[in-house]
Amino acid sequence: MSARLHDPAHSSALLLDRLRTSPPLVQCITNTVVTNFTANVLLAVGAAPAMVDIVGEAGPFARIASALLVNLGTPNPQQRDASREAVAAAREAGTPWVLDPVAIGALPIRTALAHELVEFGPTAIRGNASEILALAGGGAGGRGVDAADTTEAAAGAAAQLAARFGAVVAVSGPVDLITDGTRTARIANGDALLTRVTGGGCALGAVTAAFLATSDDPFEATVAANLVYTVAAELAAEGASGPGSFAPRFIDALAAVDGATLAERARVAGSVELLEDATAAAGAVA
């Protein structure tokens, strides 16, 4: 492919408008630390959250939801079984779903669960570099939820996962990397304050699920989710005095971001060389 993507800001704006016109119902099986923040983020961007995460309901709901997020941040026994039930139903019903393998690698229960669930063929996989490396079998994980590896170090693992499972893989970092095994995008938008707010990365998985429900092209949808999210982070950081004031500003920014803002701020490319100077200035997404 050519080094520069074809107008990602325009395509992202179209998907954002589509999401807001027909709000997708996003089922979230996510960790207890971030439930409220994740629901508010989905509402702000224009989607409808549904935290349906108990056995006996998770599967039937996954069949009617527009999209599903499975986040392994606090995988208690009930959530583990609900996740298994939901992804099996999603696969049968054709519901797009996102796997967020939080903190896998060093922690045995969630690591085994991530490897089990990925076999059900997620539409997208979202994580930091250490999580993606661990899911691909090439790393020991990071320090809890924090990455110990660089985004570019996980590029090969991301491509391998994409090819093996037919998924789009999004690796969060100072420059986000998104690949479907054939196409690759790098997004240099964002702000480091997003890493100082609980749920900054986890809620991105839910937003990715929401965008997957708006497009037949999972790669395009994942690029749009990351671009909208990181541009909103930049808007929120302007005038924020720290993470405490950033969080509510971020919710407001997600509700306000539009196509004109994306066109003005987007820093997206298909080649890392085009973003060498942007990497140092770009913020990270946990």
Side-chain angles (χ1 to χ4, degrees):
M1 63 173 289
S2 61
R4 187 168 295 280
L5 298 175
H6 178 67
D7 204 357
H10 178 67
S11 60
S12 296
L14 291 177
L15 293 183
L16 178 60
D17 287 344
R18 190 180 300 170
L19 187 156
R20 289 171 172 165
T21 301
S22 300
L25 178 62
V26 182
Q27 179 182 4
C28 299
I29 301 177
T30 192
N31 75 76
T32 57
V33 181
V34 306
T35 304
N36 183 69
F37 185 77
T38 298
N40 284 335
V41 161
L42 283 172
L43 288 168
V45 79
M51 277 44 190
V52 183
D53 64 352
I54 63 174
V55 175
E57 294 184 353
F61 200 88
R63 296 179 184 278
I64 63 172
S66 306
L68 165 70
L69 165 69
V70 176
N71 174 298
L72 305 185
T74 54
N76 60 60
Q78 172 86 295
Q79 276 201 344
R80 295 200 297 272
D81 288 341
S83 297
R84 295 182 178 104
E85 182 182 294
V87 301
R91 181 169 68 175
E92 292 176 1
T95 305
W97 68 281
V98 176
L99 175 63
D100 192 336
V102 178
I104 70 165
L107 299 174
I109 292 176
R110 71 187 63 212
T111 301
L113 181 61
H115 286 288
E116 176 185 345
L117 296 179
V118 76
E119 295 291 339
F120 284 83
T123 314
I125 301 167
R126 192 222 74 84
N128 64 38
S130 296
E131 292 160 351
I132 296 303
L133 282 164
L135 188 61
R143 188 185 65 173
V145 298
D146 296 328
D149 301 279
T150 67
T151 303
E152 288 305 315
Q160 291 169 13
L161 286 171
R164 179 178 176 186
F165 296 107
V168 177
V169 181
V171 189
S172 294
V175 173
D176 297 335
L177 183 148
I178 300 163
T179 184
D180 63 1
T182 301
R183 296 170 290 176
T184 298
R186 290 172 171 85
I187 300 176
N189 294 96
D191 192 273
L193 279 173
L194 200 51
T195 69
R196 305 284 300 280
V197 174
T198 299
C202 294
L204 175 54
V207 172
T208 301
F211 273 91
L212 288 173
T214 70
S215 175
D216 293 331
D217 186 338
F219 176 78
E220 182 181 75
T222 305
V223 169
N226 279 260
L227 182 59
V228 168
Y229 203 81
T230 53
V231 166
E234 291 180 350
L235 295 174
E238 295 174 355
S241 58
S245 57
F246 171 82
R249 292 175 65 90
F250 180 59
I251 298 292
D252 288 344
L254 280 169
V257 67
D258 56 17
T261 307
L262 295 178
E264 177 185 355
R265 289 180 174 262
R267 290 184 288 163
V268 185
S271 170
V272 71
E273 290 80 7
L274 298 175
L275 296 176
E276 287 177 342
D277 295 335
T279 303
V285 176

